[in-house]
Amino acid sequence: MTRQTDTRYIHTRLQTFADVRHALDDLCHRLSNDINDATKVAEIEIVLAEILNNIVEHGGTSAYQYPVEISWDIGTEIAFMICDTGRPYPQLRLPAPDLPNCDDLPEGGFGWGMIQMICHAVSYQRVNGANLLRFSFETETLKP
Amino acid sequence: MELSLQPQSDRLGITVNAPRIDAQAAVKFKDAVHTACGNDHSWIILDFANVDFVDSSGLGAIVSIKKHIGKGRRVDLASLGPAVEKVFRLTRMDSVFRIYPTLDDAMADDAAD
């Protein structure tokens, strides 16, 4: 049986890490309404946290002049799109997903590696002064 | 950030009483642990029984504690919930720490190495 695709979204201004916390709280609450698997929601939260933290950390002042748009299609998988008006990504492309070497006791640089390991079909475009990031999660535990 | 301390001979158990060690909390967490550690113990165990969520900033803070505060002494972890354990496993940082099921297990561990 094919499930009909539903689209959900939130618009949120992200200026501080506290704003990210509030947005994640809202997103996880919304996701739990559709996904019958706390582990899956927790995985999605990790990815969203990294992406939203990056917007606050690297997006600059232009990132919070307009709300960040987070939308997701729920069908046979969950396909996210996040649109922010922050600074463009370096070289207009996705950062390398390489993880730092554990032996060096790295204190950062884990984010993109984790994102690429948890979700799939990650793509980036710069469109009309906005960053457009897409990524998907497989899930077999959608609520009917 | 509120911490509960359990000193016992050579070791100090530090229970973190906050649900999230994230970008907002990472610096406060690191500073609080730094203050709590003192100089009396050669083995620090961070107990995450009350922590539901760690992001890459939180992970960086935990590694920083091992690297700087833990210089010359051991730092290990206890009671990682599923989402926290996942972050350690994905980044392979689970190979850098000894991870105990509970703080009590760490406190009862006689084998120092």
Side-chain angles (χ1 to χ4, degrees), chain A residues 39 42 46, chain B residues 51-52 79-89:
Chain A
T39 308
I46 293 168
Chain B
V51 177
D52 305 322
S79 296
L80 303 191
V84 178
E85 194 264 344
K86 173 119 199 164
V87 166
F88 275 85
R89 191 156 36 83

Side-chain angles (χ1 to χ4, degrees), chain B residues 1-56:
Chain B
M1 180 169 290
E2 201 196 312
L3 307 174
S4 305
L5 307 183
Q6 192 180 327
Q8 180 189 300
S9 63
D10 62 333
R11 63 200 74 172
L12 175 66
I14 300 180
T15 301
V16 181
N17 296 314
R20 300 174 81 87
I21 307 176
D22 57 9
Q24 197 192 350
V27 173
K28 278 183 214 146
F29 164 72
K30 203 161 56 175
D31 291 348
V33 171
H34 195 186
T35 307
C37 276
N39 294 311
D40 299 338
H41 304 277
S42 60
W43 187 1
I44 308 292
I45 301 119
L46 298 171
D47 170 24
F48 292 148
N50 301 320
V51 177
D52 305 322
F53 184 79
V54 170
D55 66 10
S56 64

Side-chain angles (χ1 to χ4, degrees), chain A residues 7 15 88 140:
Chain A
T7 302
Q15 187 169 1
E140 283 140 21

